[in-house]
Amino acid sequence: MTVRETTRASRGRARASEEDVLFDRELADLPAALRWREWMMRVEAVMFASGEPVTRETLARVVGPDCSIDLLIDDLQAELHNRPYEIAAVAGGWQHRSRPAYASAIRASQASTRGPAAALSEFEAMVLTAIAYFQPITRGDLSKIFGKEVSRDIISSLRNANFLASGPRSPTPGAPYTYVTTKHFLAAFDLQTLRDLPDIEALEDAGLLSRHAIEAGSSGSEAETNEE
């Protein structure tokens, strides 16, 4: 880092620190009802501005230390009950977004949206589903599940859509990369955690996934080429 960059970074930290000191979280001068209303608006503004689900820790930075984030969210959700948008609990946080019932109207309008969902092919969706259930998993083991090669292009497409990230190296020969889903995946599919995924037995009964195939493939895995 150059001297200029170091100086700029130091000024940025100093400015952020100064703003932090000047920002009034507690609003002690306001009556209780107005204080609560201001906290509600702050929390909604942060979620509205964010392109990703907002965590409890992030919201706590704009309200007083004794403020209940959960009660604020409850009041916001009640207030938006009859509106076409909502506060949704996803990916371990909350997101301000339009209600699913209005998705067709938004698509028909062809309006530019903040975060358009990635369009996946049928096979890409199946691969993403397998990764969600069997993560961390290698590309080789994915190929064993589907009985045909899962190409690097498929993995790259899912990574570019921010649905996948690299997991730990596999302990199998060659130590290939594994893949895991991201918080963006949870948010896009309206999940709080991976425990909210549908029962895998239902997918197996439908012939979409085979837990036995991946278990058998993993036990007899041969050396795979390292990949990213």
Side-chain angles (χ1 to χ4, degrees), residues 15-217:
R15 187 180 302 112
S17 178
E18 181 181 353
E19 290 175 354
D20 188 63
V21 170
L22 295 175
F23 185 75
D24 183 4
R25 289 177 177 78
E26 300 193 30
L27 303 173
D29 294 336
L30 292 180
L34 292 180
R35 183 186 311 127
W36 190 257
R37 168 57 58 179
E38 176 62 20
W39 282 340
M40 285 177 60
M41 290 193 293
R42 287 180 178 184
V43 164
E44 185 176 4
V46 171
M47 286 189 284
F48 184 83
S50 176
E52 296 291 336
V54 181
T55 64
R56 181 183 304 274
E57 292 74 21
T58 298
L59 296 178
R61 298 185 189 123
V62 298
V63 299
D66 298 325
C67 174
S68 170
I69 299 295
D70 293 306
L71 290 179
L72 276 179
I73 298 295
D74 287 345
D75 282 356
L76 278 171
Q77 289 173 328
E79 194 169 88
L80 299 178
H81 178 69
N82 294 318
R83 306 302 298 165
Y85 37 83
E86 63 183 347
I87 304 298
V90 287
W94 293 276
Q95 191 171 39
H96 193 292
R97 65 186 189 183
S98 56
R99 294 184 184 277
Y102 296 94
S104 59
I106 293 171
R107 286 193 297 269
S109 74
Q110 300 184 20
S112 176
T113 58
R114 285 184 296 171
L120 300 181
S121 69
E122 182 178 356
F123 189 56
E124 285 173 339
M126 291 172 65
V127 170
L128 181 58
T129 300
I131 294 171
Y133 280 100
F134 298 122
Q135 61 185 303
I137 185 171
T138 66
R139 188 168 66 88
D141 281 336
L142 285 167
S143 298
K144 292 182 177 71
I145 288 177
F146 294 104
K148 63 179 180 180
E149 182 185 15
V150 174
S151 69
R152 290 183 174 85
D153 289 341
I154 293 287
I155 297 297
S156 294
S157 177
L158 294 174
R159 288 182 68 117
N160 290 339
N162 199 22
F163 290 140
L164 295 187
S166 294
R169 292 276 192 160
S170 170
T172 57
Y177 283 98
T178 64
Y179 299 98
V180 296
T181 54
T182 62
K183 282 190 173 183
H184 179 74
F185 164 81
L186 294 176
F189 292 94
D190 200 21
L191 304 171
Q192 270 279 43
T193 71
L194 292 172
R195 290 190 295 273
D196 296 326
L197 286 167
D199 193 351
I200 191 172
E201 281 75 14
L203 296 180
E204 289 181 316
D205 291 343
L208 298 177
L209 284 178
S210 172
R211 181 162 35 193
H212 301 298
I214 182 60
E215 289 172 351

